[in-house]
Amino acid sequence: MASLIEQCQVAPPPGSAAELTLPLTYFDNLWLLFNHNRRILFYKFPISKPEFVQTIIPTLKDSLSLALKHYLPLAGNVVCPLLDCSSYPELRYVTGNSVSVTFSETNMDFDFLVGNHPRNLKDFYHFVPQLREPKDAPGVQLAPVLAIQVTLFPNHGISIGFTNHHVVGDGATIVRFIRAWALLTKFGGDEQFLANEFIPFYDRSVIKDPHGLGKSIWDEIKKYKASMCDTMTPPDKVRGTFIVSRDDILKFKNLILSRRPNLTHVTSFTVTCAYIWTCLIKSEASTGEEIDENGVEFFGCAADCRARLNPPIPQTYFGNCIVGYVARTRHTDLAGKEGFTIAVELIGETIQKRMKDEEWILNGSWFKEYGTVDQNRSLSITGSPKFDLYAADFGWGRLEKLEFVSINNNNGVTISLSKSKDSDGDLEVGLSLPKTQMNAFAAIFTHGLSFL
């Protein structure tokens, strides 16, 4: 579906730092166990193949090299000990490391792929790259952390697919890198257009670990013998995009406050996630599977801790600085008439309880909580409305569509949440489900909004 134009390696430019090593912190270690993140940015940009080859490819290579000068670890590897259990994993860049970049073309229907309607999940895997195989070195394994694929839809558009290992950084880190690369591309490599918000902060001494949490989590992670290999096997599902408008969000908030006037954490995030959660629960009836009405359902979301620690961590800190919040309740509570209200209350109270609890972050209680979650009965969130990837302009105009391909990775359901392309107050929800359940979800989602 996508034929190769060029395969290459892009390294930071000569004169960049010769080496950079970053020890993993307790925020990073957990992500050694999890799958890779995959995003695709689609741009409507009618360009011919000759022009793409002659102008776009060289420009993207040059600007990517400049971006990597500032984001060296993305060109490097995660170094994971094999035999010496006393060693500790780290991120390491040395001169000669590079990022694998694929340039390809396709005859697939661009306009169909960037729609909101259900589309075959497998189609999107043609536009995200696979990370190179890890390499063995004395006592360690070296695993690449980033790969990029740029695909031409002749005379229609361009997509850029990113695959990164989560251990290298959270959404805030990766989004800053993408936007930095876009700026350098748009402005011909002029680095003066890189504002301070796009220059990473690397000092890991700002992450305090008074309880030795990093070592404890690493000792636990080693038991799982996590594979660093990148595998791509798309499940038989479809993808859909759902818009929750600013007006819908306001109506949700007013509805909740009319029922629970004393609730203090009623936000766009909580009402949107609660609505999606309850619609998903109700859509399960279409699967024909037997559901335990008294079974426990789990909701998980990540919170950025940069501003929650004392002293605060710089917003440009490079790496992971997130912890997970978990809310739980019985299936029957969410499936009933008060399901939406219960979900808003649960999510809001969980966030409010944890958002200022620094000791809960430092002592690792959030990590222990992961072990209590039934992944098959969980809904989790990736992305954030705070990250505006629609503002990533490579000089081809505003992004047409953002797709989080990695929402298909786990056993439960993961949704992506982002700002909407068309309106600052709207939210865009990406979802991947079996076709029958997707149809049921869409009907329930639309029906519910019509009664607001």
Side-chain angles (χ1 to χ4, degrees):
M1 290 293 188
S3 56
L4 181 66
I5 295 176
E6 181 183 347
Q7 176 73 52
C8 63
Q9 300 295 129
V10 176
S16 301
E19 183 173 347
L20 178 62
T21 299
L22 299 175
L24 298 193
T25 74
Y26 55 86
F27 289 120
D28 302 313
N29 283 342
L30 172 69
W31 300 107
L32 288 166
L33 280 180
F34 288 83
N35 285 316
H36 303 85
N37 285 337
R38 309 186 200 278
R39 300 170 177 84
I40 309 176
L41 281 58
F42 288 94
Y43 292 88
K44 186 168 282 188
F45 185 57
I47 186 172
S48 66
K49 181 177 178 181
E51 190 176 358
F52 177 77
V53 172
Q54 293 164 16
T55 63
I56 299 297
I57 290 180
T59 299
L60 286 176
K61 286 182 186 178
D62 290 344
S63 58
L64 176 59
S65 178
L66 284 174
L68 291 172
K69 180 176 77 171
H70 299 282
Y71 289 83
L72 288 172
L74 295 180
N77 298 279
V78 56
V79 181
C80 204
L82 287 175
L83 301 175
D84 182 5
C85 293
S86 64
S87 298
Y88 198 74
E90 62 187 19
L91 297 176
R92 183 190 303 163
Y93 165 81
V94 296
T95 299
N97 289 163
S98 58
V99 172
S100 174
V101 184
T102 303
F103 294 97
S104 59
E105 66 173 321
T106 183
N107 60 3
M108 291 185 68
D109 188 332
F110 180 89
D111 292 327
F112 179 83
L113 286 172
V114 299
N116 291 342
H117 55 274
R119 293 140 293 153
N120 193 321
L121 172 61
K122 295 178 182 178
D123 289 343
F124 292 89
Y125 277 73
H126 299 296
F127 310 115
V128 285
Q130 195 163 1
L131 292 175
R132 298 196 310 272
E133 287 291 309
K135 294 182 180 179
D136 289 341
V140 298
Q141 193 173 56
L142 305 175
V145 294
L146 176 67
I148 297 171
Q149 179 176 335
V150 184
T151 304
L152 169 69
F153 295 74
N155 302 311
H156 287 88
I158 296 172
S159 71
I160 306 182
F162 300 85
T163 297
N164 71 274
H165 199 303
H166 206 314
V167 76
V168 76
D170 54 25
T173 292
I174 300 302
V175 168
R176 280 191 170 86
F177 159 70
I178 294 173
R179 292 193 59 184
W181 181 25
L183 282 169
L184 289 169
T185 305
K186 182 176 182 178
F187 294 109
D190 191 338
E191 293 178 81
Q192 70 175 351
F193 288 97
L194 281 188
N196 288 336
E197 65 175 303
F198 299 117
I199 304 300
F201 178 86
Y202 285 117
D203 183 1
R204 298 219 159 172
S205 68
V206 299
I207 304 293
K208 307 303 180 187
D209 189 5
H211 299 283
L213 188 56
K215 184 179 186 306
S216 298
I217 294 179
W218 171 233
D219 288 341
E220 189 67 24
I221 295 299
K222 284 189 291 187
K223 299 176 185 177
Y224 292 90
K225 296 182 173 62
S227 171
M228 301 303 292
C229 294
D230 182 18
T231 57
M232 292 202 305
T233 308
D236 187 17
K237 294 181 179 179
V238 295
R239 300 179 59 81
T241 305
F242 299 86
I243 306 299
V244 183
S245 72
R246 183 195 315 215
D247 288 345
D248 292 333
I249 290 170
L250 181 58
K251 291 174 183 176
F252 278 139
K253 290 179 179 178
N254 290 337
L255 176 64
I256 288 298
L257 291 174
S258 70
R259 296 176 177 176
R260 298 284 197 278
N262 295 324
L263 285 187
T264 56
H265 200 82
V266 181
T267 66
S268 298
F269 179 86
T270 57
V271 298
T272 299
C273 290
Y275 185 62
I276 298 298
W277 195 14
T278 50
C279 287
L280 276 169
I281 293 295
K282 293 172 184 175
S283 73
E284 285 186 316
S286 68
T287 65
E289 297 181 12
E290 186 174 340
I291 306 294
D292 181 0
E293 294 295 320
N294 290 311
V296 179
E297 304 287 352
F298 298 87
F299 173 88
C301 64
D304 190 331
C305 296
R306 286 168 174 81
R308 301 178 189 216
L309 298 175
N310 185 23
I313 307 301
Q315 286 300 304
T316 54
Y317 171 81
F318 182 100
N320 290 284
C321 197
I322 54 176
V323 296
Y325 296 164
V326 178
R328 65 192 76 202
T329 190
R330 294 184 308 160
H331 178 92
T332 188
D333 295 332
L334 295 176
K337 290 183 178 180
E338 292 295 307
F340 172 64
T341 304
I342 291 170
V344 173
E345 193 169 5
L346 277 171
I347 296 171
E349 286 181 350
T350 300
I351 293 173
Q352 189 172 34
K353 178 182 178 182
R354 299 303 185 195
M355 66 188 305
K356 295 183 179 179
D357 190 347
E358 184 182 27
E359 182 58 25
W360 181 81
I361 297 171
L362 294 175
N363 66 23
S365 295
W366 54 274
F367 177 69
K368 297 170 186 174
E369 196 166 24
Y370 282 124
T372 69
V373 176
D374 180 353
Q375 298 296 332
N376 292 310
R377 301 304 310 168
S378 68
L379 168 65
S380 55
I381 312 297
T382 190
S384 169
K386 296 178 182 178
F387 305 149
D388 191 6
L389 269 176
Y390 278 105
D393 182 359
F394 284 80
W396 313 325
R398 191 165 174 79
L399 181 67
E400 184 68 22
K401 190 69 184 294
L402 168 65
E403 293 283 358
F404 290 83
V405 180
S406 49
I407 61 175
N408 322 297
N409 285 346
N410 60 13
N411 295 326
V413 175
T414 300
I415 65 171
S416 63
L417 193 61
S418 63
K419 285 185 176 180
S420 175
K421 175 188 69 172
D422 299 317
S423 173
D424 194 38
D426 296 354
L427 294 181
E428 195 170 287
V429 178
L431 180 61
S432 178
L433 291 173
K435 187 174 182 179
T436 300
Q437 188 178 359
M438 180 67 82
N439 291 338
F441 174 87
I444 294 166
F445 177 90
T446 303
H447 183 72
L449 292 182
S450 68
F451 278 91
L452 287 176

